[in-house]
Amino acid sequence: MKQTRIIISGGGTGGHIFPAISIANAVKAIRPEAEILFVGAENRMEMQRVPAAGYRIEGLPVAGFDRRHLLKNVSVLVKLMKSQCKARRIVKEFRPQVAVGVGGYASGPTLRMAGRMGVPTLLQEQNSFAGVTNKLLAKRARRICVAYEGMEKFFPADVIMMTGNPVRQNLVENRMPRDKAVEALGLDPSRRVILIIGGSLGARSVNESVMARLDEIRAAEDVQVFWQTGKLYIDEMKRRLSGEKPVPNLYPTDFISSMDVAYSAADLVISRAGASSISELCLLGKPVILVPSPNVAEDHQTKNAMALVRRDAAIHIADAEAPERLMPEAIALVHDESRLGALSGNILKLALPDSAEIIAREVLKLADNG
């Protein structure tokens, strides 16, 4: 049998990169000799994360459209044309039997060129509201793997497959008892834990919501708040905290490297509503307050959040309302055992385990059958 060669393209954020790497790992687990080439966007996160995971990556000079400053898009169009030329060369030289798109800038030119050159394509749409790139690529796709019901409004029904979103393997594999996880974080097992994650770079409005309610956090002595500010904000937050009366039950950190430990410790999570984060929370059955980012295309994070809220599987607080509502509601909710239990049970029902393996088998089916 000839060697299996697969291109996986996309990235830009951890929400695209983690699923892509999970799919690659699942392919390798089934077929270790498969050769996998990633195609990402130059100067984006995937150019470091993918090699760190042990895979080769090529970068395209692609960039996203600036919807507010249309004149700036002249250079974007030039980069897009260059990216299509480079993508064509990559596909021609690598000769993949299948190309996988996970969303993000680079997947557009790569999968468009692969499709034109007769390579079967598979799309992985992580959100409940399909992105522009995937909607354009759907016309040629042989299979579209989705994580939410009702995606027929965006894609041809006959190619859709409900698979869920792949998540970071270690989150599920390395679960530990709550008390041990709390101690590993240097916290007190007798106090309730609110975990705040605004993404690896951070979320300004979520951070401001914490700063606006320091008195209430301080007063909730049986609660401790483990707060990922993000690397962009840690210095500012620590400087501002130093000018305030101490808040001994608030633990700011720039980045949480052991998310498996943090999730195990948390009684309640506050998070943005990115597709990967939601999939992780579903698999782990974590009660969550979702604060969707307003700064994403087509406001898809709000749509992701509302898909859970409709099933009473999460609490939604709009970004603009967060400074007023977020911390008071979180402190009240973390004391409400029955409500936490209901949210946990309902979000667990939405979990789709083994997503990476299911998608990997579809990828290999396309590679073998063309």
Side-chain angles (χ1 to χ4, degrees), residues 184-232:
L185 294 178
L187 304 179
D188 179 353
S190 68
R191 297 180 180 183
R192 296 173 184 275
V193 177
I194 297 173
L195 171 65
I196 301 177
I197 43 174
S200 56
L201 297 178
R204 164 70 67 184
S205 56
V206 174
N207 290 340
E208 292 299 337
S209 301
V210 175
M211 294 301 298
R213 297 288 175 161
L214 295 179
D215 287 344
E216 282 157 87
I217 295 169
R218 195 185 293 111
E221 292 180 2
D222 60 341
V223 173
Q224 48 210 332
V225 180
F226 199 73
W227 173 29
Q228 179 180 275
T229 65
K231 293 179 180 178
L232 294 180

Side-chain angles (χ1 to χ4, degrees), residues 26-27 39 66 98 100 126 156 190 195 224 267 274 277 287 292 304 313 362:
V27 166
V39 181
D66 189 327
V98 61
V100 179
Q126 292 141 20
S190 68
L195 171 65
Q224 48 210 332
D267 297 297
S277 297
N304 290 348
E362 287 301 305

Side-chain angles (χ1 to χ4, degrees), residues 316-331:
H316 167 247
I317 293 180
D319 191 77
E321 297 174 357
E324 187 70 28
R325 294 178 51 197
L326 182 58
M327 292 316 300
E329 291 192 26
I331 290 166

Side-chain angles (χ1 to χ4, degrees), residues 327-350:
M327 292 316 300
E329 291 192 26
I331 290 166
L333 178 58
V334 82
H335 289 106
D336 188 340
E337 284 287 353
S338 65
R339 188 78 186 105
L340 290 176
L343 288 168
S344 178
N346 290 338
I347 199 169
L348 204 50
K349 289 175 193 168
L350 304 180

Side-chain angles (χ1 to χ4, degrees), residues 15-85:
H16 293 306
I17 298 161
F18 295 135
I21 291 171
S22 293
I23 293 167
N25 291 343
V27 166
K28 283 287 202 179
I30 299 165
R31 195 170 293 177
E33 73 279 7
E35 193 177 346
I36 298 172
L37 174 66
F38 280 75
V39 181
E42 289 174 359
N43 304 316
R44 300 289 292 192
M45 195 190 295
E46 58 266 27
M47 301 308 290
Q48 284 78 45
R49 293 285 173 88
V50 169
Y55 295 100
R56 189 158 66 92
I57 187 166
E58 294 259 7
L60 303 181
V62 67
F65 280 94
D66 189 327
R67 296 169 194 225
R68 293 179 186 170
H69 309 98
L70 294 178
L71 286 175
K72 289 185 180 177
N73 289 321
V74 174
S75 65
V76 173
L77 290 169
V78 172
K79 287 178 179 178
L80 181 60
M81 286 189 287
K82 285 181 178 176
S83 295
Q84 289 184 332
C85 291

